[in-house]
Amino acid sequence: MTSTDTFAAYIASLPRVLAAAAALFRDPEGRVLLVEPNYREGWALPGGTVESDDGETPRQGARRETLEEIGLDRELGRLLAVDWVAGTGRPPLVAYLYDGGVLTGAEFDAIRLQEEELLSWRLVPRADLAGHLPGALGRRVLAALDVLAEGAGTAELENGHRVA
């Protein structure tokens, strides 16, 4: 066995982790932009899988997914939260959430949904987010909103809960 084969076998034996990235967009009233996927129940943020096998970074993935899903190509702001989400029937997921900023009326008017994946979009006030985004995703979004409100650093989360 060559050293290249040994290295390849070693890499193949390592644990796997999935990566996803999304953007948190808001309106001037602080409501959060959510999208409704057609492939599962419930709501989500614009975002998706990071194409890491192709060299894509989480920030690049969030921007690409935002462009693909809602037609907006915006430079994203700072990293608001990183969440380690345990999986059942899948490897763990590391979810990155970036500040998409406050959108103008013209930017909302420019939203064009990716019809292959999305049914609709809506703006949801903070108080109603838990009803639209249950579980770790809802907690992640609330933690990110707290980071923005407090001017705090990136939130480190596990299953949507802050790590002490």
Side-chain angles (χ1 to χ4, degrees):
M1 193 184 272
T2 70
S3 61
T4 301
D5 293 336
T6 303
F7 182 72
Y10 167 72
I11 294 298
S13 73
L14 293 175
R16 298 287 177 242
V17 133
L18 304 174
L24 181 66
F25 295 105
R26 298 159 326 278
D27 73 355
E29 287 79 46
R31 295 176 298 176
V32 175
L33 172 68
L34 301 183
V35 294
E36 182 183 20
N38 62 16
Y39 52 86
R40 66 173 173 80
E41 291 293 318
W43 294 82
L45 295 173
T49 302
V50 177
E51 302 294 340
S52 58
D53 286 351
D54 296 333
E56 186 174 68
T57 68
R59 180 176 293 279
Q60 290 167 339
R63 186 171 182 171
R64 175 187 52 77
E65 286 282 348
T66 297
L67 176 59
E68 289 176 4
E69 290 186 350
I70 61 173
L72 296 181
D73 186 18
R74 288 177 53 105
E75 181 139 355
L76 299 176
R78 67 188 182 109
L79 179 63
L80 299 174
V82 177
D83 195 1
W84 177 273
V85 184
T88 302
R90 65 157 171 77
L93 170 72
V94 178
Y96 298 84
L97 183 51
Y98 294 94
D99 184 5
V102 176
L103 299 179
T104 65
E107 288 169 314
F108 283 112
D109 290 344
I111 289 176
R112 298 295 174 260
L113 293 177
Q114 181 184 37
E115 294 179 5
E116 297 82 22
E117 290 187 19
L118 300 176
L119 297 171
S120 66
W121 66 272
R122 68 171 49 169
L123 292 167
V124 177
R126 180 189 175 104
D128 297 338
L129 285 170
H132 288 81
L133 303 172
L137 176 57
R139 292 188 298 271
R140 184 179 321 130
V141 171
L142 292 175
L145 290 171
D146 289 344
V147 163
L148 287 166
E150 298 162 5
T154 302
E156 179 185 356
L157 309 170
E158 291 178 3
N159 297 310
H161 299 285
R162 282 190 182 257
V163 175

